[in-house]
Amino acid sequence: MKLARIEFEGRILYGIIEDDSVRAIEGDIFGGWHPSKHLYQLDKVRILPPCNPSKIIGIGLNYRDHAEEMGVPLPEEPILFIKPSTSVIGHGDKIILPSISQRVDYEGELAVVIGKRARKVSAEKAKEYILGYTCFNDITARDLQKKDVQFTRSKSFDTFSSLGPWIVNDVDPMDLQIETRVNNEIKQRSKTSNLHRNVYELVSFISNIMTLLPGDVIATGTPSGVGPLKEGDVVEVIIEGIGVLRNYVSKEE
C-alpha cells in the first residue's frame, strides 16, 4: 500500500494511491484510519513530503561499495548525523544550491519512516515500529563537509532532504534495487542487501540512543557513485517497489 500526503485546494490530506488517483483517508496514518469515499486525480493535487519528521537521522558509510569508493573501512558502529526538519522537501520540489558551496552532491537512499514511539527496541522487534519506506535524497555540500569534518552544516541547508513520493508499508527492505539518475543518466545503482547494517539493526541502534517518534525518518546510507549537481539538473531516486522521487535543481537567488 502506498500512503501519500497531498495538498488539494489548500487542504492537506493523507490518502492511498490507487492507480492515477488518491483516495483520502479518515483518521491518522500513525494511528487508526480507514479509506473515505473522496477520490482525487494525481495530476490535480500537489504531492507533499509523506511525513513531517521531528528529526532525520542519517547514516554515514553504510554501503560496502560506498566505503570502497571513499577508500575507508566500514565503521565498527553506525555513524550517525542529524538533519533538521526545515531541510525537508517533497517530490517535484526544487533543490536550491547555496551560494556558499561550490559542490553539492546527490545521495540516493532508502528511508525508514517510524510508525510509533520507539525507545530501546531490539533488532528482532524493530519491524513492529516501522510504518514503511520511502525514497530519500541526502543532499550534501561536499566541500563544506570536508572543511568542517563533522556533517551538520553540509547537510542542513533548506531543501537538502528530499523525501517521497509516498510511504510503502508492504515492501521487504532487505534486497531492493536502488538507483540515482541525473538527467536520466544512471549515477548510482546498488541493492539494499549491500547495506552494512540493515534497517532493523539501525532502528535498534538508534532507539537505544534517542527516542524515535512517529514520522521520524532514518536515511539508511548511500551506495557508490555520489557526484555533483548543477543548476538545471533533474535528479531522481528510484527504489524497487516504492517509486520515483524527482527533484529539480536551481541556484540560490
Side-chain angles (χ1 to χ4, degrees), residues 123-179:
E124 292 73 23
K125 292 188 175 181
K127 187 176 182 179
E128 301 172 15
Y129 294 83
I130 296 172
L131 176 64
Y133 304 91
T134 192
C135 305
F136 190 82
N137 198 340
D138 177 21
I139 309 300
T140 304
R142 192 69 67 200
D143 51 349
L144 300 183
Q145 183 183 31
K146 291 179 180 179
K147 180 180 180 180
D148 294 351
V149 181
Q150 55 84 37
F151 294 177
T152 303
R153 177 165 66 145
S154 67
K155 291 179 177 286
S156 294
F157 287 93
D158 291 356
T159 77
F160 271 27
S161 297
S162 180
L163 185 66
W166 36 64
I167 299 165
V168 177
N169 66 357
D170 55 0
V171 68
D172 183 344
M174 301 305 281
D175 191 31
L176 300 174
Q177 182 169 293
I178 178 170
E179 288 185 359

Side-chain angles (χ1 to χ4, degrees), residues 30-249:
F30 300 104
W33 60 269
H34 61 272
S36 76
K37 63 180 180 181
H38 301 292
L39 200 63
Y40 305 91
Q41 293 298 307
L42 264 177
D43 60 0
K44 302 295 184 183
V45 305
R46 180 187 173 201
I47 298 176
L48 300 175
C51 58
N52 283 314
S54 74
K55 54 187 173 294
I56 301 160
I57 304 96
I59 312 296
L61 294 174
N62 198 35
Y63 272 85
R64 297 179 183 91
D65 50 8
H66 183 47
E68 291 174 7
E69 173 185 48
M70 302 298 286
V72 295
L74 288 165
E76 292 184 8
E77 294 183 306
I79 298 172
L80 307 186
F81 57 90
I82 297 286
K83 302 192 76 165
S85 60
T86 49
S87 66
V88 172
I89 58 172
H91 176 73
D93 290 339
K94 290 183 179 180
I95 296 166
I96 306 300
L97 305 177
S99 58
I100 194 174
S101 175
Q102 301 307 305
R103 174 165 172 167
V104 174
D105 285 7
Y106 55 81
E107 294 189 11
E109 310 194 12
L110 173 71
V112 180
V113 180
I114 298 300
K116 61 182 180 180
R117 190 177 188 274
R119 174 66 175 153
K120 295 187 180 297
V121 173
S122 69
E124 292 73 23
K125 292 188 175 181
K127 187 176 182 179
E128 301 172 15
Y129 294 83
I130 296 172
L131 176 64
Y133 304 91
T134 192
C135 305
F136 190 82
N137 198 340
D138 177 21
I139 309 300
T140 304
R142 192 69 67 200
D143 51 349
L144 300 183
Q145 183 183 31
K146 291 179 180 179
K147 180 180 180 180
D148 294 351
V149 181
Q150 55 84 37
F151 294 177
T152 303
R153 177 165 66 145
S154 67
K155 291 179 177 286
S156 294
F157 287 93
D158 291 356
T159 77
F160 271 27
S161 297
S162 180
L163 185 66
W166 36 64
I167 299 165
V168 177
N169 66 357
D170 55 0
V171 68
D172 183 344
M174 301 305 281
D175 191 31
L176 300 174
Q177 182 169 293
I178 178 170
E179 288 185 359
T180 304
R181 298 185 183 188
V182 179
N183 304 324
N184 210 34
E185 180 181 349
I186 296 173
K187 298 293 188 179
Q188 295 181 286
R189 175 180 279 172
S190 189
K191 285 203 162 190
T192 56
S193 52
N194 289 323
L195 284 168
H196 179 45
R197 304 286 183 182
N198 67 46
V199 298
Y200 306 127
E201 293 171 318
L202 293 175
V203 170
S204 177
F205 183 82
I206 296 167
S207 71
N208 275 274
I209 299 166
M210 66 187 81
T211 300
L212 295 169
L213 302 177
D216 281 353
V217 168
I218 299 172
T220 58
T222 197
S224 62
V226 298
L229 294 169
K230 66 181 186 302
E231 183 180 18
D233 282 346
V234 179
V235 57
E236 298 172 311
V237 179
I238 305 161
I239 301 181
E240 177 185 2
I242 297 175
V244 180
L245 170 65
R246 181 181 301 111
N247 294 101
Y248 305 91
V249 182

